[in-house]
């Protein structure tokens, strides 16, 4: 075998070796990718506590009861409106609960039973408690967080979640 032929043979062997290695790599990658992927759990998922707030017997129509949810740093009100409303809970569909921290800059809201609004003394935003906390006037850029309620057969009222971000938080459950 001439020197030139040896070089050609050496090159051919190296080519075949590297081709075999590449094929093995592809096979390994294929084997890995054929493993079923596990569903990633969303990082934004929130587990809310279920906190007992009161009993139906504790409530008087149109008189707010001071509460806190989902923790003691998040004040709110529980109101029996006396009229079935969207999002209302309980046997009469008239129980609602809201955060009382204004979504604008966190001033404490006050309930006005005449028009059933929660009003802000800071910059005068107003929120309709009969329409799931919809903002009806003011500077806030979101509706009022409404606490979801569950009522059991004994009349116990439990808060189980909320639908908007509570003022001052990057997530509702700290
Ligand atoms: Fe309520 Fe500004 S803090 S409107």
């Amino acid at each position: 075998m001439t020197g030139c032929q040896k070089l050609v043979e050496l090159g051919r062997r190296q080519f075949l070796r590297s081709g075999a290695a590449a094929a093995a790599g592809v096979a390994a990658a294929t084997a890995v990718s054929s493993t079923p992927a596990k569903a990633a759990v969303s990082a934004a998922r929130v587990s809310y506590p279920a906190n007992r707030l009161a009993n139906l017997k504790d409530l008087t129509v149109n008189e707010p009861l001071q509460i806190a949810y989902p923790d003691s740093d998040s004040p709110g009100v529980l109101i029996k409106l006396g009229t079935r409303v969207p999002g209302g809970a309980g046997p009469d569909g008239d129980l609602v609960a809201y955060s009382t921290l204004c979504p604008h800059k966190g001033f404490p809201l006050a309930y006005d039973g005449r028009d059933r609004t929660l009003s802000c003394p800071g910059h005068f935003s107003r929120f309709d408690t009969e329409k799931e906390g919809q903002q009806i006037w003011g500077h806030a850029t979101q509706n009022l967080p409404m606490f979801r309620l569950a009522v059991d057969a004994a009349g116990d009222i439990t808060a189980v979640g909320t639908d908007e971000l509570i003022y001052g938080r990057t997530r509702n459950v700290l």
Side-chain angles (χ1 to χ4, degrees), residues 17-98:
R17 257 200 312 271
S18 62
V26 168
T30 304
V32 169
S33 66
S34 66
T35 305
K38 286 188 178 173
V41 177
S42 168
R45 198 176 186 111
V46 177
S47 293
Y48 282 98
N51 294 358
R52 183 187 179 279
L53 301 178
N55 188 278
L56 286 173
K57 292 182 298 208
D58 303 327
L59 300 176
T60 302
V61 171
N62 210 23
E63 285 188 17
L65 181 72
Q66 303 299 316
I67 58 163
Y69 184 80
D71 53 61
S72 60
D73 292 328
S74 175
V77 283
L78 172 63
I79 312 166
K80 181 172 176 60
L81 293 169
T83 309
R84 184 174 293 275
V85 293
D92 301 322
D94 65 343
L95 293 175
V96 293
Y98 294 96

Side-chain angles (χ1 to χ4, degrees), residues 81 83 85-86 96 98 115-116 127-133:
L81 293 169
T83 309
V85 293
V96 293
Y98 294 96
D115 61 3
R116 299 181 179 204
F127 304 90
D128 191 338
T129 62
E130 295 181 315
K131 294 201 169 56
E132 299 179 288

Side-chain angles (χ1 to χ4, degrees), residues 102 104-107 120 123-125:
C102 180
H104 180 222
K105 290 196 173 179
F107 277 61
C120 179
H123 312 99
F124 312 114
S125 286

